Amino acid sequence: DLSSKDMKRDLYIVAHVIRIGRMLLNDSKKGPPHLHYRRPYGCAVLSIMDVLQSISEIKEEKDFVLKVYT
């Protein structure tokens, strides 16, 4: 039987970052101007346990920084 403590330890927030734009950064003059591509840029992960511990210590809004791995 899984306890709520076990569930919190194994939950994560996952952010999948998508870049929308031209294929290359220096493609300013090539191709139609309306053509934009969606490409994966990176991914970031944050443990829910870290969030819950921070929220329980301070009873106010808090920012979390996630490192994006490209």
Side-chain angles (χ1 to χ4, degrees):
D1 189 44
L2 292 174
S3 69
S4 62
K5 184 178 182 182
D6 290 334
M7 293 294 288
K8 291 175 190 172
R9 184 188 68 216
D10 294 335
L11 290 176
Y12 297 90
I13 295 171
V14 178
H16 185 192
V17 182
I18 301 290
R19 180 184 185 274
I20 299 175
R22 298 187 178 275
M23 190 56 78
L24 299 173
L25 292 176
N26 59 0
D27 269 352
S28 60
K29 301 292 183 199
K30 298 178 185 176
H34 65 279
L35 193 56
H36 293 286
Y37 298 96
R38 288 178 45 110
R39 298 191 327 260
Y41 180 78
C43 187
V45 179
L46 178 65
S47 170
I48 293 290
M49 196 61 173
D50 296 341
V51 172
L52 293 176
Q53 286 175 350
S54 296
I55 291 173
S56 65
E57 294 169 5
I58 304 170
K59 303 290 185 203
E60 60 188 47
E61 194 172 303
K62 183 171 171 74
D63 292 330
F64 293 92
V65 177
L66 284 77
K67 181 175 180 182
V68 176
Y69 294 92
T70 57

